[in-house]
Amino acid sequence: MAISGRIESGFFMPRLHLAAVPAIAIVLLSLFVRGAGAQESQAQRQVPTSSAQLQLSFAPIVKRVAPAVVNVYAARVVENSNPFLADPFFRQFFGVVPRQQVERSLGSGVIVDPSGLVVTNYHVIEGASEVKVALSDKREFAADIVLKDQRSDLAVLRIKGAKERFPTLPFANSDDLQVGDVVLAIGDPFGVGQTVTHGIVSAVARTDVGISDYQFFIQTDAAINPGNSGGPLVDMNGRMVGLNSAIYSRSGGSQGIGFAIPANMVRVVVASAEGGSGAVKRPWLGAKLQEVTPDIADSLGLQRPSGALVASVVADSPAGRAGIKTGDVIVSVDGTTVDDPTAFNYRFATKPLGGTAQIGVIRQGHAIVAPVALQSLPDTPREEVEIRARSPFLGATVANLSPALADEMRLDPNAQGVVITEVADGSAAQSIGFQKGDIIVSVNNQKIAKPADLERVVGTGSRQWRITLLRGGQQISVVFSG
């Protein structure tokens, strides 16, 4: 069976393809399995021998953790793009249709600080102009968005006007989680009210789900449905091991494959919010990594295609100062094996700032350990500038390509030029095809090193424009006239 599909609104909508199997073979196989397994199944069944065995229940755990789980209601104003709005004939018969409409979304959240700090998914509150939080006792509060981190699909809210101490859910160490552990999922699926489901951990360290930048997910078969996003995945000690985020589904409902962000990543985002930061501060490696393919593994003499190949290193970065070089293969972080760049990014990003991380490296067949300082990205002024001069760049906003911005926009940190951070709707830049993330290298054979350089060049009013840019790692040269 092969599975393919795409993510829609935080939920993965797969298409299933089943190889053809003769029907008679399926029938005979099912009969054989039933016959062979019947006696074994009956032998394993046991009649309860005490009243205590009949009273086993998850209720004590649920009673303890449910008050810390909330519903999150988000509202956003969107423009009505109906083409009939400007048609006088349509308005004559149907009246005036509002040009703006309010969209509402429903999710879940977890109180992680008694003062009223709530963590949920970024996609639950994305673009929201108003957010409300409803407690398990039905009380509702307005909430402010304290921090949004699209890269991890996490957001932190604060309950407005809180004059009490709220119940909280403690974090577990998600690295201790094992396949087969029993877990509970709590949230508000389909808006029916707080609901508890149970299952087991089906897998850990799923790295190719495609939900966020830090793809390192806990997979569970506990029933998760729309509305569960942002609710906790809880262990048998009543601690949060993950935050439910997405499901594989053909219908939009649960089919036993759900994904949760590990608690250790959630903890990092919450800590940034508690520290008063509007952005998450994570350790910066200062190196571009790529997957180790079978061909690369053969060329490097590796036993198997595993680890993260160092494609480039930024000068004077933590990686550079630690002696990590292009061509090295990173295989571990503080003794924990990493199988690919995604696993490394998660392990490294969840390390606390300060101190060092011991990075295991294979270099020319030899194993070495490089102590890398756990430092955040340097705060370099972006110097964002909106281009207003008549030119192909009219309506584009550009900024210095600092290490911080390169990391934020997932660009090559060694690239030279200025990066487009925004393109205004309906602008000349949009009509020509410029995109957010394009790196402008040169214009009319003049090197562009900072936004002021681009402003100066476009201010000349040239009739022809020769532009060199980088997009997706590829250099593109184009010529525009007029």
Side-chain angles (χ1 to χ4, degrees), residues 185-451:
I186 307 178
D188 186 8
F190 300 109
V192 300
Q194 192 174 91
T195 301
V196 181
T197 58
H198 88 282
I200 64 169
V201 174
S202 305
V204 294
R206 288 294 194 212
T207 60
D208 52 1
V209 179
I211 302 171
S212 67
D213 285 0
Y214 296 103
Q215 297 185 45
F216 198 88
F217 294 91
I218 301 165
Q219 181 182 329
T220 178
D221 67 348
I224 298 174
N225 289 287
N228 274 107
S229 284
L233 194 67
V234 179
D235 66 12
M236 293 298 97
N237 292 312
R239 302 171 303 176
M240 179 168 62
V241 295
L243 201 77
N244 300 317
S245 295
I247 59 173
Y248 277 113
S249 178
R250 299 181 67 184
S251 61
S254 174
Q255 293 186 326
I257 303 179
F259 299 98
I261 301 170
N264 287 359
M265 176 60 77
V266 180
R267 192 198 307 265
V268 170
V269 176
V270 171
S272 292
E274 289 177 330
S277 175
V280 180
K281 293 187 178 297
R282 301 184 176 93
W284 172 51
L285 178 65
K288 184 178 181 181
L289 307 178
Q290 68 181 63
E291 185 178 356
V292 178
T293 65
D295 289 341
I296 292 176
D298 288 340
S299 67
L300 296 177
L302 301 178
Q303 294 182 351
R304 62 189 184 97
S306 179
L309 177 66
V310 179
S312 62
V313 179
V314 178
D316 198 32
S317 66
R321 292 192 294 272
I324 292 177
K325 300 179 179 179
T326 300
D328 287 348
V329 177
I330 297 175
V331 294
S332 67
V333 178
D334 285 338
T336 301
T337 300
V338 293
D339 291 329
D340 51 41
T342 303
F344 171 82
N345 288 339
Y346 169 79
R347 293 294 179 192
F348 195 69
T350 52
K351 292 294 178 182
L353 293 172
T356 59
Q358 304 302 314
I359 306 299
V361 170
I362 300 295
R363 178 183 297 164
Q364 297 178 351
H366 300 286
I368 62 174
V369 176
V372 176
L374 296 169
Q375 300 173 344
S376 61
L377 283 156
D379 293 325
T380 305
R382 296 192 180 190
E383 297 182 10
E384 284 189 313
V385 172
E386 181 180 353
I387 303 301
R388 301 180 183 275
R390 184 177 178 84
S391 69
F393 300 99
L394 178 63
T397 300
V398 298
N400 281 324
L401 188 57
S402 65
L405 189 55
D407 181 76
E408 177 184 322
M409 300 185 71
R410 282 80 78 191
L411 301 172
D412 183 354
N414 288 317
Q416 300 294 318
V418 298
V419 61
I420 295 179
T421 57
E422 295 291 342
V423 179
D425 291 338
S427 66
Q430 184 186 59
S431 64
I432 285 175
F434 286 119
Q435 300 176 11
K436 181 178 180 179
D438 285 347
I439 301 172
I440 310 303
V441 178
S442 67
V443 178
N444 291 345
N445 298 320
Q446 297 188 50
K447 183 179 178 181
I448 306 299
K450 53 184 181 295

Side-chain angles (χ1 to χ4, degrees), residues 1-2 16-22 26:
M1 180 180 292
L16 306 183
H17 307 282
L18 181 61
V21 179
I26 295 175

Side-chain angles (χ1 to χ4, degrees), residues 15-335:
R15 298 181 292 274
L16 306 183
H17 307 282
L18 181 61
V21 179
I24 184 65
I26 295 175
V27 173
L28 292 176
L29 179 61
S30 64
L31 290 175
F32 173 78
V33 171
R34 289 177 185 174
Q39 293 181 347
E40 181 180 353
S41 177
Q42 290 177 359
Q44 292 177 344
R45 293 174 179 167
Q46 297 181 359
V47 177
T49 58
S50 68
S51 59
Q53 291 182 357
L54 291 173
Q55 295 173 357
L56 293 177
S57 172
F58 297 123
I61 300 173
V62 175
K63 184 177 181 179
R64 187 166 69 251
V65 306
V69 182
V70 302
N71 296 342
V72 178
Y73 303 95
R76 59 184 61 84
V77 178
V78 297
E79 294 293 329
N80 192 332
S81 58
N82 192 315
F84 295 109
L85 284 176
D87 190 331
F89 178 81
F90 180 86
R91 294 203 304 268
Q92 178 182 354
F93 286 95
F94 296 96
V96 178
V97 179
R99 289 189 175 275
Q100 292 185 330
Q101 293 182 331
V102 177
E103 288 185 349
R104 302 185 186 278
S105 63
L106 169 68
S108 302
V110 184
I111 304 176
V112 292
D113 188 276
S115 65
L117 214 59
V118 176
V119 65
T120 186
N121 281 131
Y122 171 86
H123 71 257
V124 170
I125 56 88
E126 182 179 6
S129 55
E130 181 184 9
V131 179
K132 290 185 178 181
V133 168
L135 306 186
S136 59
D137 61 9
K138 307 301 182 183
R139 289 184 297 160
E140 290 190 2
F141 296 86
D144 290 321
I145 300 174
V146 177
L147 184 151
K148 296 185 292 185
D149 188 48
Q150 186 175 7
R151 300 189 64 180
S152 63
D153 191 27
L154 292 170
V156 180
L157 316 175
R158 184 177 294 281
I159 296 175
K160 284 185 178 181
K163 298 180 180 179
E164 61 185 277
R165 304 292 285 177
F166 295 96
T168 63
L169 194 57
F171 290 104
N173 181 359
S174 51
D175 287 346
D176 293 339
L177 206 59
Q178 297 183 23
V179 175
D181 284 350
V182 177
V183 287
L184 304 179
I186 307 178
D188 186 8
F190 300 109
V192 300
Q194 192 174 91
T195 301
V196 181
T197 58
H198 88 282
I200 64 169
V201 174
S202 305
V204 294
R206 288 294 194 212
T207 60
D208 52 1
V209 179
I211 302 171
S212 67
D213 285 0
Y214 296 103
Q215 297 185 45
F216 198 88
F217 294 91
I218 301 165
Q219 181 182 329
T220 178
D221 67 348
I224 298 174
N225 289 287
N228 274 107
S229 284
L233 194 67
V234 179
D235 66 12
M236 293 298 97
N237 292 312
R239 302 171 303 176
M240 179 168 62
V241 295
L243 201 77
N244 300 317
S245 295
I247 59 173
Y248 277 113
S249 178
R250 299 181 67 184
S251 61
S254 174
Q255 293 186 326
I257 303 179
F259 299 98
I261 301 170
N264 287 359
M265 176 60 77
V266 180
R267 192 198 307 265
V268 170
V269 176
V270 171
S272 292
E274 289 177 330
S277 175
V280 180
K281 293 187 178 297
R282 301 184 176 93
W284 172 51
L285 178 65
K288 184 178 181 181
L289 307 178
Q290 68 181 63
E291 185 178 356
V292 178
T293 65
D295 289 341
I296 292 176
D298 288 340
S299 67
L300 296 177
L302 301 178
Q303 294 182 351
R304 62 189 184 97
S306 179
L309 177 66
V310 179
S312 62
V313 179
V314 178
D316 198 32
S317 66
R321 292 192 294 272
I324 292 177
K325 300 179 179 179
T326 300
D328 287 348
V329 177
I330 297 175
V331 294
S332 67
V333 178
D334 285 338

